[in-house]
Amino acid sequence: MSTGRSTTVRDRDRRAIARTKPPCHICEQPIDYTIPSPEPMSFEVDHVIALVNGGADDLSNKAASHRKCNRDKWDKLAEAVGPRVFVTSRAW
């Protein structure tokens, strides 16, 4: 199934977003840009307003996210998901 989207534009936008290394726009936590995909905490570009909901496939509608945050958000707005809190250490 083809989306009709340009991989050249996708890759250009991905590089533009990654260049400034912003935090995840969904959970607001830092992203480790060295983690390879498909690891859950790797960098992924998210459409702020999902394409299925009428969002544009341009840089103004794209933001950095963790892969897991993006998958959990799916086609909702980030505000509907709310900031996520990650447990990074445990005391047993």
Side-chain angles (χ1 to χ4, degrees):
M1 177 176 160
S2 174
T3 62
R5 294 186 280 164
S6 167
T7 57
T8 303
V9 172
R10 180 200 63 202
D11 293 345
R12 182 193 66 211
D13 290 351
R14 180 179 169 79
R15 285 190 305 272
I17 292 169
R19 192 174 6 255
T20 60
K21 300 197 179 338
C24 176
H25 86 105
I26 299 169
C27 73
E28 302 171 357
Q29 297 298 309
I31 298 171
D32 181 347
Y33 286 82
T34 64
I35 298 174
S37 185
E39 293 295 323
M41 299 307 283
S42 64
F43 164 61
E44 194 166 89
V45 174
D46 174 45
H47 287 91
V48 177
I49 300 174
L51 299 177
V52 71
N53 292 333
D57 190 27
D58 57 34
L59 189 56
S60 66
N61 186 43
K62 295 177 182 177
S65 70
H66 293 108
R67 179 178 172 81
K68 176 157 181 35
C69 294
N70 192 14
R71 297 295 187 240
D72 289 349
K73 177 184 156 252
W74 202 248
D75 62 355
K76 297 180 273 315
L77 293 173
E79 294 80 28
V81 176
R84 297 177 40 158
V85 177
F86 292 98
V87 176
T88 56
S89 63
R90 299 203 184 261
W92 299 98

